[in-house]
Amino acid sequence: MRNRADACAPASRARRWKSYGASWAMILPAMLFLLFFVIYPVINMGVLSLFKGNATKPYKEFVGVDNYYRLFFVKDDFYKALANTCAYTVGALVCVMVFSLLLAQWLQKDRRVNRVAQTVFFTPHLIAGVSAGFIWGWLMSSQSYGLFNTVLNVLGLSSVKWLDDSSTAMLSIIIMNTWKSVGYYALIILSSMKSIPAEIYEAAKLDNASGIKTFFRITLPMISPQLFFLLITITTGSFKVFDSVRIMTGGGPGDSTRVLSMYIYDYAFMRNNTLGYACAAGMVMLLIMVVITIIDFAFVEKKVHYQ
């Protein structure tokens, strides 16, 4: 019996190593993608942030942490871009989360109109960000062809400078991106709502719980893992907004909608010998996003109810 066990041991080890090899082979493409398109660019950006140069000659002059010093203590436009980014992120996060919840709650009932509505509300998510920016730029234009102002004028109301006024430009961008994203996130929330056992809602009805109380005491806690996931993805996505701002306002009027991504793009490609400065701003932006994510996991995740 012992000789038989000894004979089976090499075959067992071979099967085990074969299983390990198959597992590593399946995750190897994802690891290579992460290495070449995420880790390496971040390391390279950190190296470039220590130099002064342009895109064609990035290693022109080593300046150490001078780019970071200029970023925080010399130039004041970085704080303006950071404030605009925070304003957009908070506005987009609140609007998308609230309207996605309301839309998902409305779509939860199994009705024929809701089946069509799911497709209709999801369609804007399929539109490219650049195309959506052009469409909404036309809708909100202050020119005679601007549809929104045309409708307002027909109703006897005065025109609104949607994209040409610093007080409404950022709000207009938030409205556009909310329209584009709300259908996608509503379907994610809707799928989590439908996974809640019906027995829980039946028990709430037996206890004569109101609809509002049922929503806040049952629905929200049960879908909190999905809401936490949306919190992370919407926050990081909003912090990197670029295409819609670039198309609709170009960062204007003035610097009222100039967000960090546009700030980095401007210094990296539109000016001379400022690539290192742009990389320093990119590293700071990355650090801010990491800190926000850590805070979310450290404090917000404690409120998540995992089944």
Side-chain angles (χ1 to χ4, degrees):
M1 295 293 294
R2 183 175 181 181
N3 293 335
R4 185 177 179 182
D6 293 340
C8 293
S12 177
R13 284 196 296 269
R15 286 194 300 269
R16 189 182 308 115
W17 282 107
K18 186 177 180 180
S19 177
Y20 289 157
S23 301
W24 280 101
M26 283 187 281
I27 67 173
L28 182 61
M31 294 180 64
L32 292 176
F33 182 88
L34 185 68
L35 177 64
F36 288 108
F37 295 100
V38 178
I39 297 177
Y40 170 73
V42 170
I43 295 175
N44 192 43
M45 182 172 62
V47 173
L48 289 175
S49 68
L50 304 177
F51 289 80
K52 179 181 179 181
N54 52 43
T56 57
K57 295 180 64 177
Y59 294 98
K60 185 176 181 181
E61 179 185 354
F62 179 78
V63 295
V65 297
D66 182 65
N67 288 323
Y68 294 94
Y69 177 81
R70 292 173 57 220
L71 189 70
F72 289 111
F73 301 108
V74 177
K75 291 181 171 291
D76 56 355
D77 53 354
F78 171 76
Y79 293 104
K80 176 62 176 177
L82 179 60
N84 291 337
T85 305
C86 292
Y88 171 82
T89 301
V90 173
L93 177 63
V94 172
C95 290
V96 172
M97 291 287 282
V98 170
F99 286 107
S100 296
L101 269 172
L102 294 176
L103 181 59
Q105 183 70 17
W106 178 64
L107 294 173
Q108 189 177 12
K109 293 183 179 181
D110 190 13
R111 295 176 294 189
R112 182 177 300 177
V113 64
N114 287 355
R115 299 170 192 170
V116 179
Q118 291 181 26
T119 304
V120 172
F121 288 120
F122 181 75
T123 301
H125 178 71
L126 302 177
I127 301 175
V130 174
S131 300
F134 277 117
I135 293 171
W136 279 79
W138 167 70
L139 293 174
M140 294 180 169
S141 176
S142 299
Q143 302 298 324
S144 59
Y145 54 79
L147 181 61
F148 287 175
N149 283 334
T150 300
V151 174
L152 291 176
N153 294 334
V154 169
L155 297 176
L157 302 175
S158 58
S159 300
V160 178
K161 295 182 178 180
W162 300 97
L163 304 176
D164 300 326
D165 192 333
S166 58
S167 61
T168 57
M170 184 63 76
L171 178 61
S172 301
I173 296 173
I174 293 174
I175 292 173
M176 192 283 288
N177 283 292
T178 300
W179 166 83
K180 188 178 185 303
S181 305
V182 68
Y184 170 73
Y185 292 116
L187 290 183
I188 295 178
I189 298 175
L190 178 63
S191 63
S192 62
M193 286 181 174
K194 289 186 176 294
S195 65
I196 300 175
E199 294 81 4
I200 299 179
Y201 288 114
E202 292 174 359
K205 288 183 179 180
L206 292 176
D207 291 338
N208 294 323
S210 63
I212 296 178
K213 191 173 183 180
T214 301
F215 178 77
F216 284 101
R217 295 293 183 89
I218 296 177
T219 304
L220 277 184
M222 296 295 285
I223 66 173
S224 56
Q226 288 74 24
L227 294 179
F228 179 70
F229 166 75
L230 297 188
L231 172 67
I232 299 296
T233 55
I234 295 174
T235 301
T236 55
S238 299
F239 228 82
K240 299 181 294 182
V241 63
F242 176 80
D243 47 3
S244 57
V245 179
R246 178 75 175 176
I247 296 299
M248 295 178 67
T249 64
D255 289 333
S256 59
T257 59
R258 194 187 188 196
V259 292
L260 277 179
S261 56
M262 283 202 63
Y263 183 84
I264 295 170
Y265 175 85
D266 182 23
Y267 277 95
F269 302 108
M270 306 301 291
R271 307 190 185 196
N272 292 325
N273 297 325
T274 55
L275 178 63
Y277 180 83
C279 291
M283 291 299 296
V284 173
M285 178 179 173
L286 175 64
L287 180 61
I288 292 173
M289 294 173 63
V290 170
V291 170
I292 293 175
T293 305
I294 292 175
I295 293 174
D296 288 337
F297 275 96
F299 297 100
V300 181
E301 192 183 21
K302 295 180 180 179
K303 306 294 184 181
V304 176
H305 174 75
Y306 294 102
Q307 299 183 29

